[in-house]
Amino acid sequence: MLTISDNQISLEPMIDITKNQFLVPDIQQAIEEYFLENKQQAIFNGEKQDVIYISGMADKHNPALANYLNSSVLKSYPAKADICQGHFANYPIIHCWIKIGNLIIDLVIKQFADKNIDFPENLLSLLDKQYFICDNPSNPFYKLYISN
């Protein structure tokens, strides 16, 4: 869950781009716009707060965001956003992410921060990022996406 305060979201993405740098600012802006458009209200400590539920909602968010990217950011780009299913780091649950050519967008990378996955210690802290954008095949996380 992400909290939204005064229509501002504090997002910390993990980004490793080698070929599609020109797309990143537009993709980041589209992700933030999507989150703001899909926020909900929740009550914490007796006060209303805007939130967006991410983890456990990939079946809803990934197709909607892919459509949003295709109709805005990618409308004049030859590749389109598609949904991929598979596994991350051989974790035994089906995982979904958005793929544009060889670029991965994972909105729920943070869900793996508390899972028992055998990672080198220096990589574990990177799982605390809000989302992942990468097209670098030598990135250690990129290598962990296994499509079905």
Side-chain angles (χ1 to χ4, degrees), residues 20-31:
N20 299 294
Q21 294 92 343
F22 68 96
L23 281 176
V24 172
D26 292 337
I27 288 173
Q28 285 185 276
Q29 181 179 348
I31 289 170

Side-chain angles (χ1 to χ4, degrees), residues 53-102:
Y53 296 99
I54 299 294
S55 192
M57 299 290 289
D59 287 346
K60 173 189 177 214
H61 291 305
N62 281 330
L65 180 57
N67 288 336
Y68 188 77
L69 289 170
N70 287 335
S71 66
S72 60
V73 175
L74 303 172
K75 64 183 169 193
S76 61
Y77 191 70
K80 296 298 174 204
D82 294 311
I83 306 303
C84 277
Q85 279 193 323
H87 294 277
F88 177 76
N90 289 318
Y91 196 72
I93 61 167
I94 295 293
H95 186 60
C96 299
W97 58 92
I98 297 171
K99 196 156 188 189
I100 305 167
N102 66 341

Side-chain angles (χ1 to χ4, degrees), residues 12 27 37 44 48 52 61 84 95 97 106 112 125:
E12 280 190 73
I27 288 173
E37 289 174 11
F44 293 102
K48 287 183 183 178
I52 183 162
H61 291 305
C84 277
H95 186 60
W97 58 92
D106 188 346
F112 294 104
S125 65

